[in-house]
Amino acid sequence: MSQKFDLIAIGRAAVDLNAVEYNRPLEETKSFAKFVGGSPANIAIGSAKLGQKVGFIGKVSDDQLGHYVTQYMADVGIDTTQMVKDDAGHKIGLTFTEIISPEESDILMYRNEAADLYLTTADVSEEYLAQAKMLVISGTGLAQSPSREAILKALTVAKSLGVEVVFELDYRPYTWKNAEETSLYYQLVAQRADVIIGTRDEFDVLENHHGNTNEQTIATLFKYDPKLIVIKSGVQGSNAYTKAGDHYHFGVFKTKVLKSFGAGDSFAAGFLYAYSHDLGIETALKYGSAAASIVISQLSSSEAMPDLAKLTAFIHEAERQEVH
Ligand SMILES: Nc1ncnc2c1ncn2[C@@H]1O[C@H](COP(=O)(O)OP(=O)(O)OP(=O)(O)O)[C@@H](O)[C@H]1O
Ligand SMILES: O=C(O)C[C@@H](O)[C@H](O)C(=O)CO
């Protein structure tokens, strides 16, 4: 049966307030531009812009910012029927960004009592998940109850339905209490996911151990359900490992970097597009790297996501320049 959604993402949809004054610390920044943010929302937006059929499960504030985020996501073609409004007055998460230099950019999150962490098991519909080919889980949603149980329900339902589960580690220290608890929940989901995407540092968080090699990490995780593990290493590029024993590496597309945040979410959107379309793991790494390269040269992490024509033209041009 053909599914209605190529992917459904679950977790936070939030607001980014990005400094429009560059090369200065947040203390001295007066002007910010508003964008939709939140790692899983950014991945959903990037995927929809690439032409994927996308649904989203999440909870937003019942106020102007919650309405703005839901409307923006609907406008890019995401099904927002499962984006519920928080009826207890919880506010949407805010992320301020700081761009001191291309090498030094940072984010400051305001996530106390954030609405996305109040997603409940009742907000996760089995009928909805049954319409998906893939479920994208982001790690931050596991940080607190009741969102934690909502995500564990989505995982359990997806597994029982045969929906492919992608776990984007998306570790944000802010909402977690301690390293052992974090590692416990990360491992619980990682062991059941089909595909895991994260940075080397995030896998260290998952293992609650610093210093393992990629080979040590995959050897442990491949004892469980994962069949594909992607480990990102910033400007050093990315590596993908399959359970069958294949290893792929891709470097980066050089670009005029404005800021570094947004790289991971755009990488995931590009990677998952190619992966879903069976273009091969090498191409998936290439699409992820190209999408990241495009997004880090622009201000936002969501609006800057490329459509398919822009992404393929970018790759074509980069490869043409390499040949000459
Ligand atoms: N300076 C760069 N130039 C070109 N491509 C980059 C650069 N930094 C990162 N990328 C690309 O983006 C991918 C993801 O970056 P990174 O490993 O920093 O993930 P991340 O930490 O999840 O990102 P984020 O900063 O959004 O949280 C890299 O594997 C690479 O393909
Ligand atoms: O994930 C978040 O909540 C913040 C993002 O929207 C922000 O743009 C970022 O950090 C992307 O990596």
Side-chain angles (χ1 to χ4, degrees):
M1 196 183 79
S2 93
Q3 303 297 83
K4 182 171 173 192
F5 298 112
D6 295 311
L7 71 87
I8 289 176
I10 184 167
R12 80 188 173 287
V15 171
D16 282 357
L17 291 163
N18 290 4
V20 294
E21 298 158 24
Y22 310 144
N23 307 324
R24 69 188 65 181
L26 200 47
E27 288 90 334
E28 291 164 24
T29 307
K30 289 190 175 165
S31 316
F32 299 87
K34 170 163 112 327
F35 297 101
V36 173
S39 178
N42 292 336
I43 295 171
I45 291 165
S47 299
K49 286 184 80 171
L50 287 170
Q52 301 258 63
K53 288 175 274 161
V54 180
F56 196 86
I57 304 173
K59 186 166 269 183
V60 294
S61 52
D62 188 6
D63 59 16
Q64 295 93 323
L65 291 181
H67 303 165
Y68 152 71
V69 166
T70 310
Q71 190 58 50
Y72 182 89
M73 290 174 70
D75 288 346
V76 298
I78 296 169
D79 179 88
T80 57
T81 56
Q82 311 296 306
M83 287 180 70
V84 290
K85 292 178 187 159
D86 184 290
D87 58 10
H90 297 115
K91 298 299 174 209
I92 205 158
L94 298 180
T95 298
F96 291 87
T97 70
E98 175 183 58
I99 305 174
I100 296 178
S101 71
E103 295 77 37
E104 202 184 349
S105 53
D106 210 348
I107 61 170
L108 176 65
M109 297 182 115
Y110 278 61
R111 293 190 41 72
N112 285 350
E113 306 271 304
D116 57 270
L117 293 170
Y118 287 87
L119 189 75
T120 68
T121 52
D123 300 320
V124 176
S125 152
E126 179 161 351
E127 292 69 35
Y128 194 64
L129 286 169
Q131 299 175 60
K133 287 186 197 157
M134 180 184 278
L135 170 69
V136 179
I137 291 177
S138 104
T140 295
L142 295 163
Q144 282 174 27
S145 299
S147 159
R148 174 180 288 166
E149 290 74 20
I151 288 181
L152 292 178
K153 176 180 173 183
L155 169 70
T156 307
V157 169
K159 292 295 281 186
S160 72
L161 292 169
V163 174
E164 184 164 26
V165 175
V166 176
F167 186 26
E168 209 320 312
L169 300 184
D170 174 37
Y171 173 64
R172 311 284 170 160
Y174 191 82
T175 23
W176 287 96
K177 288 197 200 74
N178 64 66
E180 195 172 6
E181 182 185 285
T182 312
S183 168
L184 193 66
Y185 282 98
Y186 266 101
Q187 287 188 49
L188 195 69
V189 176
Q191 289 173 4
R192 303 205 66 207
D194 299 294
V195 179
I196 310 175
I197 306 176
T199 61
R200 183 57 254 174
D201 291 349
E202 288 173 328
F203 281 94
D204 290 349
V205 169
L206 182 152
E207 296 172 316
N208 199 12
H209 176 83
H210 187 78
N212 276 349
T213 61
N214 289 356
E215 286 66 28
Q216 287 169 315
T217 297
I218 62 164
T220 305
L221 288 167
F222 280 146
K223 289 185 194 143
Y224 303 93
D225 292 2
K227 57 176 196 274
L228 175 63
I229 298 176
V230 181
I231 306 184
K232 302 171 289 177
S233 300
V235 75
Q236 267 137 39
S238 48
N239 289 282
Y241 304 86
T242 68
K243 198 173 219 152
D246 299 312
H247 171 212
Y248 305 86
H249 171 78
F250 198 86
V252 296
F253 287 100
K254 290 211 174 61
T255 187
K256 197 169 180 322
V257 180
L258 172 63
K259 43 74 173 164
S260 64
F261 53 83
D265 301 338
S266 43
F267 178 93
F271 182 89
L272 292 176
Y273 174 86
Y275 176 71
S276 308
H277 286 77
D278 290 327
L279 301 183
I281 306 297
E282 211 160 330
T283 304
L285 291 178
K286 186 193 285 189
Y287 275 39
S289 309
S293 189
I294 291 169
V295 167
I296 59 178
S297 67
Q298 294 175 63
L299 184 57
S300 78
S301 303
S302 51
E303 223 164 279
M305 293 279 187
D307 62 19
L308 189 59
K310 183 167 180 180
L311 185 73
T312 49
F314 177 89
I315 293 171
H316 186 74
E317 181 56 22
E319 289 180 341
R320 194 187 63 81
Q321 285 185 18
E322 233 169 60
V323 170
H324 294 286

